[in-house]
Amino acid sequence: ERTGRMMAARGRDRKPIGGDVPSDRPAGSLGSKVNEEEGTGMTWEDWRPELVVVGTDGSEGSRNAAAVAATLARRNHAALHIVTVVRPPEGWWGIAGGPPTAGALGNALIDAQREILDSTIESLDLEGLEWESSEEVGDPAATLVAYCERVGADVLVVGRRGAGLLERIVIGSVADRVTHQAPCPVLVVP
């Protein structure tokens, strides 16, 4: 795990912004007021995330998402967590020879994650931002959701497309899955 500036641990005891859409509004429309029923009067314009998490897999869509996440963090003086998740192989599909050893496979996954993170970090202007990066292994959607829960993310930013066609057909896109499961708002970037 690498960091830009060390981040102080913060407790997370906040209520989520939003809530249920009142029945007199069309689906998908929150209007300009947030939490009207609670009488807070907070608007979306007042919302200031303190912790922005971005998932990256090295694809163009995730690079766009990382750039948007960095801008969102900068504009709100928020911390930025850059996370990559590598799915472990579920079987050996090699054409010839046996599967790699566990150590060799682990090293290859770590190297791939570091390459993705290094490339993403190099492409961003992180000057003056509190940031850290994390390399995770597992199902990308489930792992990003768990990461957001663990760190108390205020928003998760992901690219619209990143996985290959077969993965999107079989298990759905990461973006689609996190929008249904994340404990915080999700910003999907084209």
Side-chain angles (χ1 to χ4, degrees), residues 159-176:
R160 182 173 55 199
R161 293 223 174 115
L165 177 62
L166 180 61
E167 185 175 356
R168 285 196 307 266
I169 291 170
V170 174
I171 61 172
S173 74
V174 171
D176 182 58

Side-chain angles (χ1 to χ4, degrees), residues 95-153:
I95 295 173
T101 65
L105 184 57
N107 288 339
L109 289 174
I110 290 168
D111 290 345
Q113 287 177 311
R114 285 193 183 131
E115 190 174 311
I116 289 168
L117 279 175
D118 289 346
S119 175
T120 301
I121 290 166
E122 288 172 11
S123 73
L124 298 173
D125 174 15
L126 298 173
E127 183 69 33
L129 283 179
E130 290 182 30
W131 66 273
E132 65 182 70
S133 63
S134 182
E135 302 161 356
E136 308 284 329
V137 176
D139 171 72
T143 304
L144 284 172
V145 167
Y147 186 91
C148 288
E149 289 171 346
R150 186 170 72 244
V151 300

